[in-house]
Amino acid sequence: AAKQAGRDNYRLYSTTLSGPTLERVRMENRLRTALANNEFLLVYQPKFSLNAQRMVGVEALIRWSQDGRLIPPCDFVPLLEDTGLIRQVGRWVASTALMQLKAWQALWPGLTMAINVSAVQLDEADLADFFAGELNRYGLAGALLEVELTEGALLRDPEQALAFVNGMRSKGIRLAVDDFGTGYSSLSHLKDFAPEVLKLDKSFVQPMASDTRSAKLVEGVIALAQGLAIEVVAEGVEDEKALALLAKMRCDTVQGFYLSEPVLASALSSTQGAARLSAVSGGA
Ligand code: C2E
Ligand code: MG
Ligand code: MG
Ligand code: MG
């Protein structure tokens, strides 16, 4: 009986193990062909200047199109990172976004493009050169490109990250620290990496309207950044009250569902975000 139970236990164990593993292998194979089959696409979420009351940039966000459904990055970017495929996909993101940015310059001169770069990509010694090459290809100034890295990505291998950031900067490309406040937000990183932009994480911005402590933290970060001439982008602006508070705090740039969700390139011109800005007294 003990033997029997042992076998059953083993069977149970092996089933629970092989389930996810098989699914993972299947998913990995699908991801391997997704790039060649054009199954990835980019959506773009606008960012607005509170002072100028207009759209000043967009952030490119990847989606995986599967049978007419758009799969969000949280469901496949980690696997792209684990398999290293993110290196190839990351270059596709940069090329695609910059080609789109070139087309948009005619409609919105000076519009900037932000792309998310994964920690895994930083081990590519020629990544900054690749970005510069793509900018060149489209005749775009380096300052029109903003690379978003999380604090975690900067700290995984700080020496490597700093080499990349210095390479970027020599081409005029700007560094944004993404999800600021959720990682190891140490002042020494602001000193060492000297980012041009801080993106305040939505976990502070979202609850601003109802939670005084979140609002105070946001206010503090804005004051800190102002002293260092760092631009602050508040992400996750979901209601008018948060927007009004951010305007009062003289936050530079706002992004969030209240202004616009991420949209397909063809829908960017119909975004209503700017109209919502004029409702708050953010202008000078
Ligand atoms: P992120 O870079 O911090 O992007 C912001 C995420 O917040 C996006 O989710 C966006 O759709 C969402 N968001 C925007 N406004 C609001 C709001 O008002 N409320 C709420 N609740 N959410 C809002 P998304 O597109 O699902 O992307 C999730 C994450 O996936 C990104 O976080 C980024 O870390 C990663 N990601 C997306 N595209 C890429 C890519 O091309 N390459 C890499 N390496 N990572 C990417
Ligand atoms: Mg981002
Ligand atoms: Mg973020
Ligand atoms: Mg994030």
Side-chain angles (χ1 to χ4, degrees):
K3 234 177 179 174
Q4 184 68 42
R7 243 197 316 271
D8 286 343
N9 278 342
Y10 171 73
R11 207 172 288 144
L12 193 70
Y13 182 60
S14 104
T15 305
T16 50
L17 240 190
S18 72
T21 303
L22 215 99
E23 178 54 37
R24 196 190 140 97
V25 170
R26 217 174 268 144
M27 178 86 164
E28 205 177 304
N29 284 333
R30 280 159 66 202
L31 277 173
R32 267 182 214 290
T33 53
L35 190 57
N37 294 345
N38 273 313
E39 293 170 22
F40 293 119
L41 60 89
L42 295 179
V43 288
Y44 300 91
Q45 187 177 32
K47 294 184 295 181
F48 299 87
S49 158
L50 275 171
N51 197 46
Q53 303 222 342
R54 62 180 174 86
M55 179 172 70
V56 287
V58 295
E59 176 178 6
L61 296 158
I62 196 168
R63 299 290 182 267
W64 185 14
S65 171
Q66 281 276 309
D67 318 306
R69 273 196 332 124
L70 292 188
I71 304 189
C74 57
D75 289 347
F76 66 91
V77 165
L79 196 50
L80 286 177
E81 291 178 329
D82 284 355
T83 53
L85 287 166
I86 193 70
R87 296 193 186 87
Q88 238 183 307
V89 173
R91 287 182 184 227
W92 173 84
V93 168
S95 301
T96 306
L98 289 176
M99 183 169 64
Q100 184 59 63
L101 183 65
K102 172 64 181 176
W104 278 335
Q105 290 303 303
L107 283 166
W108 297 286
L111 189 80
T112 63
M113 178 65 68
I115 60 170
N116 293 282
V117 168
S118 158
V120 178
Q121 295 175 259
L122 299 185
D123 62 14
E124 297 186 280
D126 65 337
L127 189 62
D129 288 332
F130 175 79
F131 290 162
E134 293 301 293
L135 284 161
N136 240 331
R137 171 138 80 117
Y138 297 110
L140 294 164
L144 296 180
L145 177 62
E146 219 166 84
V147 165
E148 298 190 2
L149 287 164
T150 62
E151 292 162 292
L154 290 171
L155 293 186
R156 204 172 80 141
D157 183 341
E159 221 168 287
Q160 204 171 60
L162 198 58
F164 169 68
V165 167
N166 288 335
M168 273 181 27
R169 208 162 262 143
S170 71
K171 334 268 187 209
I173 301 168
R174 289 152 53 87
L175 169 68
V177 178
D178 205 349
D179 303 346
F180 185 76
T182 59
Y184 299 89
S185 313
S186 136
L187 293 181
S188 67
H189 310 140
L190 292 185
K191 182 163 80 67
D192 296 343
F193 292 102
E196 280 77 12
V197 182
L198 291 184
K199 296 198 75 177
L200 254 171
D201 191 68
K202 52 178 170 281
S203 60
F204 304 103
V205 178
Q206 240 168 8
M208 276 181 83
S210 54
D211 177 38
T212 321
R213 291 183 75 83
S214 295
K216 282 283 170 202
L217 281 168
V218 169
E219 193 172 22
V221 172
I222 291 171
L224 173 75
Q226 251 163 13
L228 295 163
I230 298 175
E231 176 189 342
V232 175
V233 179
E235 45 176 36
V237 178
E238 292 189 354
D239 51 61
E240 182 173 1
K241 182 127 186 259
L243 183 64
L245 282 171
L246 289 162
K248 216 170 89 191
M249 294 171 184
R250 302 260 157 203
C251 181
D252 301 297
T253 310
V254 286
Q255 182 180 15
F257 293 164
Y258 181 67
L259 298 155
S260 172
E261 293 194 5
V263 294
L264 291 172
S266 57
L268 190 69
S269 60
S270 52
T271 183
Q272 295 301 305
R276 298 211 148 160
L277 285 179
S278 53
V280 300
S281 51

